[in-house]
Amino acid sequence: MAATSSSDESTRRILAAVRAIPPGQVAGYGEVAHRAGLPGRARLAARVLAGNGDPELPWHRVLRADGRIAFPEGSAGYREQCQRLRAEGVRVEGGRVKRQRGPRDLDEAVWGPDSGA
DNA sequence: GCGCTGACGCGAT
DNA sequence: CATCGCGCCAGCG
């Protein structure tokens, strides 16, 4: 068998982390990368999503650390991601994703109450 | 072999 | 809260 390239391995892990994101919930690129065992490789996660080929991959649940859509406003990807998130019950305002639960505890509220619990 | 760009992150201003 | 700059790695010309 072909040698398991670290890059492919990392890619596989990142995709798995993205698939692990439950509906109605979102995660940041850095968060996904961290879950994949690649802390600090947020850019790599983005690269993977950009080159993915899985229609079932919930890439739309992946946003920037600020909770903002990674795509430029008005872009096709932006609209699609925004629409998909709304379809899952995610509140999107001005390209910013806000959770439905209204806890103002940033530490707990940022990316999911059960994310790290 | 080299430099630029990019679905990023975080600290500082 | 918005903006700027630096650091990070990987693909591409």
Side-chain angles (χ1 to χ4, degrees), chain A residues 91-108:
Chain A
R91 177 98 140 181
V92 185
E93 293 183 25
R96 228 178 289 172
V97 175
K98 198 86 168 163
R99 302 196 62 275
Q100 291 192 305
R101 318 218 174 158
R104 18 275 188 305
D105 302 85
L106 260 294
D107 295 289
E108 307 296 309

PDB file of all heavy atoms in Angstrom, chain A residues 91-108:
ATOM      1  N   ARG A  91     -28.430  31.104  13.992  1.00  0.00           N
ATOM      2  CA  ARG A  91     -28.744  32.514  13.775  1.00  0.00           C
ATOM      3  C   ARG A  91     -27.557  33.208  13.112  1.00  0.00           C
ATOM      4  O   ARG A  91     -26.469  33.233  13.652  1.00  0.00           O
ATOM      5  CB  ARG A  91     -29.005  33.158  15.120  1.00  0.00           C
ATOM      6  CG  ARG A  91     -29.257  34.605  14.914  1.00  0.00           C
ATOM      7  CD  ARG A  91     -30.723  34.884  14.900  1.00  0.00           C
ATOM      8  NE  ARG A  91     -31.018  36.098  15.585  1.00  0.00           N
ATOM      9  CZ  ARG A  91     -32.294  36.454  15.657  1.00  0.00           C
ATOM     10  NH1 ARG A  91     -33.194  35.668  15.128  1.00  0.00           N
ATOM     11  NH2 ARG A  91     -32.615  37.524  16.240  1.00  0.00           N
ATOM     12  N   VAL A  92     -27.789  33.735  11.920  1.00  0.00           N
ATOM     13  CA  VAL A  92     -26.705  34.412  11.209  1.00  0.00           C
ATOM     14  C   VAL A  92     -27.063  35.873  10.964  1.00  0.00           C
ATOM     15  O   VAL A  92     -28.089  36.170  10.379  1.00  0.00           O
ATOM     16  CB  VAL A  92     -26.434  33.724   9.854  1.00  0.00           C
ATOM     17  CG1 VAL A  92     -25.235  34.341   9.171  1.00  0.00           C
ATOM     18  CG2 VAL A  92     -26.223  32.231  10.061  1.00  0.00           C
ATOM     19  N   GLU A  93     -26.211  36.754  11.437  1.00  0.00           N
ATOM     20  CA  GLU A  93     -26.478  38.181  11.256  1.00  0.00           C
ATOM     21  C   GLU A  93     -25.249  38.899  10.728  1.00  0.00           C
ATOM     22  O   GLU A  93     -24.191  38.884  11.334  1.00  0.00           O
ATOM     23  CB  GLU A  93     -26.877  38.788  12.594  1.00  0.00           C
ATOM     24  CG  GLU A  93     -28.207  38.251  13.087  1.00  0.00           C
ATOM     25  CD  GLU A  93     -28.595  38.944  14.378  1.00  0.00           C
ATOM     26  OE1 GLU A  93     -28.147  40.057  14.618  1.00  0.00           O
ATOM     27  OE2 GLU A  93     -29.344  38.329  15.147  1.00  0.00           O
ATOM     28  N   GLY A  94     -25.416  39.563   9.610  1.00  0.00           N
ATOM     29  CA  GLY A  94     -24.317  40.344   9.052  1.00  0.00           C
ATOM     30  C   GLY A  94     -23.059  39.529   8.841  1.00  0.00           C
ATOM     31  O   GLY A  94     -21.973  40.034   9.014  1.00  0.00           O
ATOM     32  N   GLY A  95     -23.242  38.255   8.478  1.00  0.00           N
ATOM     33  CA  GLY A  95     -22.083  37.402   8.238  1.00  0.00           C
ATOM     34  C   GLY A  95     -21.512  36.865   9.537  1.00  0.00           C
ATOM     35  O   GLY A  95     -20.519  36.173   9.562  1.00  0.00           O
ATOM     36  N   ARG A  96     -22.194  37.176  10.624  1.00  0.00           N
ATOM     37  CA  ARG A  96     -21.748  36.704  11.924  1.00  0.00           C
ATOM     38  C   ARG A  96     -22.684  35.631  12.422  1.00  0.00           C
ATOM     39  O   ARG A  96     -23.901  35.774  12.320  1.00  0.00           O
ATOM     40  CB  ARG A  96     -21.733  37.857  12.909  1.00  0.00           C
ATOM     41  CG  ARG A  96     -20.428  37.863  13.664  1.00  0.00           C
ATOM     42  CD  ARG A  96     -20.411  39.037  14.601  1.00  0.00           C
ATOM     43  NE  ARG A  96     -20.279  40.251  13.828  1.00  0.00           N
ATOM     44  CZ  ARG A  96     -20.394  41.451  14.388  1.00  0.00           C
ATOM     45  NH1 ARG A  96     -20.649  41.558  15.635  1.00  0.00           N
ATOM     46  NH2 ARG A  96     -20.251  42.512  13.670  1.00  0.00           N
ATOM     47  N   VAL A  97     -22.149  34.582  12.957  1.00  0.00           N
ATOM     48  CA  VAL A  97     -22.975  33.488  13.454  1.00  0.00           C
ATOM     49  C   VAL A  97     -23.176  33.601  14.955  1.00  0.00           C
ATOM     50  O   VAL A  97     -22.234  33.710  15.721  1.00  0.00           O
ATOM     51  CB  VAL A  97     -22.323  32.137  13.132  1.00  0.00           C
ATOM     52  CG1 VAL A  97     -23.125  31.017  13.765  1.00  0.00           C
ATOM     53  CG2 VAL A  97     -22.269  31.944  11.629  1.00  0.00           C
ATOM     54  N   LYS A  98     -24.424  33.573  15.316  1.00  0.00           N
ATOM     55  CA  LYS A  98     -24.752  33.716  16.729  1.00  0.00           C
ATOM     56  C   LYS A  98     -25.531  32.473  17.155  1.00  0.00           C
ATOM     57  O   LYS A  98     -26.384  31.985  16.434  1.00  0.00           O
ATOM     58  CB  LYS A  98     -25.628  34.944  16.897  1.00  0.00           C
ATOM     59  CG  LYS A  98     -25.649  35.389  18.300  1.00  0.00           C
ATOM     60  CD  LYS A  98     -24.507  36.290  18.632  1.00  0.00           C
ATOM     61  CE  LYS A  98     -24.908  36.825  19.965  1.00  0.00           C
ATOM     62  NZ  LYS A  98     -24.083  37.392  20.771  1.00  0.00           N
ATOM     63  N   ARG A  99     -25.237  31.985  18.314  1.00  0.00           N
ATOM     64  CA  ARG A  99     -25.925  30.780  18.792  1.00  0.00           C
ATOM     65  C   ARG A  99     -27.323  31.135  19.270  1.00  0.00           C
ATOM     66  O   ARG A  99     -27.590  32.231  19.714  1.00  0.00           O
ATOM     67  CB  ARG A  99     -25.126  30.169  19.922  1.00  0.00           C
ATOM     68  CG  ARG A  99     -23.722  29.846  19.396  1.00  0.00           C
ATOM     69  CD  ARG A  99     -23.000  28.895  20.311  1.00  0.00           C
ATOM     70  NE  ARG A  99     -23.705  27.633  20.397  1.00  0.00           N
ATOM     71  CZ  ARG A  99     -24.719  27.413  21.260  1.00  0.00           C
ATOM     72  NH1 ARG A  99     -25.074  28.329  22.080  1.00  0.00           N
ATOM     73  NH2 ARG A  99     -25.320  26.272  21.273  1.00  0.00           N
ATOM     74  N   GLN A 100     -28.214  30.200  19.166  1.00  0.00           N
ATOM     75  CA  GLN A 100     -29.595  30.466  19.566  1.00  0.00           C
ATOM     76  C   GLN A 100     -29.704  30.621  21.067  1.00  0.00           C
ATOM     77  O   GLN A 100     -30.445  31.447  21.562  1.00  0.00           O
ATOM     78  CB  GLN A 100     -30.468  29.311  19.113  1.00  0.00           C
ATOM     79  CG  GLN A 100     -30.563  29.310  17.613  1.00  0.00           C
ATOM     80  CD  GLN A 100     -31.640  28.367  17.158  1.00  0.00           C
ATOM     81  OE1 GLN A 100     -31.637  27.207  17.508  1.00  0.00           O
ATOM     82  NE2 GLN A 100     -32.555  28.856  16.389  1.00  0.00           N
ATOM     83  N   ARG A 101     -28.990  29.798  21.782  1.00  0.00           N
ATOM     84  CA  ARG A 101     -29.006  29.918  23.239  1.00  0.00           C
ATOM     85  C   ARG A 101     -28.381  31.263  23.546  1.00  0.00           C
ATOM     86  O   ARG A 101     -27.400  31.637  22.981  1.00  0.00           O
ATOM     87  CB  ARG A 101     -28.191  28.812  23.828  1.00  0.00           C
ATOM     88  CG  ARG A 101     -28.519  27.539  23.047  1.00  0.00           C
ATOM     89  CD  ARG A 101     -28.577  26.374  23.928  1.00  0.00           C
ATOM     90  NE  ARG A 101     -29.017  25.219  23.238  1.00  0.00           N
ATOM     91  CZ  ARG A 101     -28.704  24.043  23.761  1.00  0.00           C
ATOM     92  NH1 ARG A 101     -27.998  23.992  24.832  1.00  0.00           N
ATOM     93  NH2 ARG A 101     -29.146  23.028  23.235  1.00  0.00           N
ATOM     94  N   GLY A 102     -28.877  31.985  24.398  1.00  0.00           N
ATOM     95  CA  GLY A 102     -28.366  33.330  24.622  1.00  0.00           C
ATOM     96  C   GLY A 102     -27.516  33.537  25.839  1.00  0.00           C
ATOM     97  O   GLY A 102     -27.653  34.535  26.529  1.00  0.00           O
ATOM     98  N   PRO A 103     -26.601  32.660  26.123  1.00  0.00           N
ATOM     99  CA  PRO A 103     -25.701  32.877  27.256  1.00  0.00           C
ATOM    100  C   PRO A 103     -24.660  33.923  26.898  1.00  0.00           C
ATOM    101  O   PRO A 103     -24.098  33.887  25.837  1.00  0.00           O
ATOM    102  CB  PRO A 103     -25.046  31.512  27.461  1.00  0.00           C
ATOM    103  CG  PRO A 103     -25.111  30.852  26.113  1.00  0.00           C
ATOM    104  CD  PRO A 103     -26.272  31.467  25.374  1.00  0.00           C
ATOM    105  N   ARG A 104     -24.438  34.888  27.715  1.00  0.00           N
ATOM    106  CA  ARG A 104     -23.431  35.893  27.363  1.00  0.00           C
ATOM    107  C   ARG A 104     -22.076  35.500  27.885  1.00  0.00           C
ATOM    108  O   ARG A 104     -21.117  36.237  27.804  1.00  0.00           O
ATOM    109  CB  ARG A 104     -23.809  37.257  27.888  1.00  0.00           C
ATOM    110  CG  ARG A 104     -24.794  37.281  28.935  1.00  0.00           C
ATOM    111  CD  ARG A 104     -26.214  37.263  28.594  1.00  0.00           C
ATOM    112  NE  ARG A 104     -27.057  37.472  29.693  1.00  0.00           N
ATOM    113  CZ  ARG A 104     -27.002  36.739  30.777  1.00  0.00           C
ATOM    114  NH1 ARG A 104     -26.092  35.858  30.890  1.00  0.00           N
ATOM    115  NH2 ARG A 104     -27.862  36.939  31.664  1.00  0.00           N
ATOM    116  N   ASP A 105     -22.004  34.276  28.476  1.00  0.00           N
ATOM    117  CA  ASP A 105     -20.691  33.809  28.929  1.00  0.00           C
ATOM    118  C   ASP A 105     -19.865  33.417  27.712  1.00  0.00           C
ATOM    119  O   ASP A 105     -20.016  32.335  27.186  1.00  0.00           O
ATOM    120  CB  ASP A 105     -20.844  32.590  29.835  1.00  0.00           C
ATOM    121  CG  ASP A 105     -21.723  32.928  31.025  1.00  0.00           C
ATOM    122  OD1 ASP A 105     -22.956  32.839  30.868  1.00  0.00           O
ATOM    123  OD2 ASP A 105     -21.172  33.271  32.060  1.00  0.00           O
ATOM    124  N   LEU A 106     -19.050  34.325  27.294  1.00  0.00           N
ATOM    125  CA  LEU A 106     -18.260  34.065  26.100  1.00  0.00           C
ATOM    126  C   LEU A 106     -17.489  32.766  26.199  1.00  0.00           C
ATOM    127  O   LEU A 106     -17.473  31.966  25.291  1.00  0.00           O
ATOM    128  CB  LEU A 106     -17.288  35.224  25.875  1.00  0.00           C
ATOM    129  CG  LEU A 106     -17.781  36.204  24.818  1.00  0.00           C
ATOM    130  CD1 LEU A 106     -17.817  35.525  23.457  1.00  0.00           C
ATOM    131  CD2 LEU A 106     -19.193  36.682  25.146  1.00  0.00           C
ATOM    132  N   ASP A 107     -16.901  32.530  27.316  1.00  0.00           N
ATOM    133  CA  ASP A 107     -16.067  31.334  27.466  1.00  0.00           C
ATOM    134  C   ASP A 107     -16.859  30.075  27.172  1.00  0.00           C
ATOM    135  O   ASP A 107     -16.370  29.152  26.554  1.00  0.00           O
ATOM    136  CB  ASP A 107     -15.519  31.245  28.886  1.00  0.00           C
ATOM    137  CG  ASP A 107     -14.579  32.401  29.175  1.00  0.00           C
ATOM    138  OD1 ASP A 107     -13.483  32.400  28.620  1.00  0.00           O
ATOM    139  OD2 ASP A 107     -14.985  33.283  29.940  1.00  0.00           O
ATOM    140  N   GLU A 108     -18.125  30.072  27.603  1.00  0.00           N
ATOM    141  CA  GLU A 108     -18.930  28.873  27.418  1.00  0.00           C
ATOM    142  C   GLU A 108     -19.752  28.965  26.146  1.00  0.00           C
ATOM    143  O   GLU A 108     -20.158  27.961  25.589  1.00  0.00           O
ATOM    144  CB  GLU A 108     -19.864  28.704  28.616  1.00  0.00           C
ATOM    145  CG  GLU A 108     -19.117  28.749  29.927  1.00  0.00           C
ATOM    146  CD  GLU A 108     -18.157  27.591  30.041  1.00  0.00           C
ATOM    147  OE1 GLU A 108     -18.575  26.455  29.823  1.00  0.00           O
ATOM    148  OE2 GLU A 108     -16.974  27.837  30.347  1.00  0.00           O
TER     149      GLU A 108
END
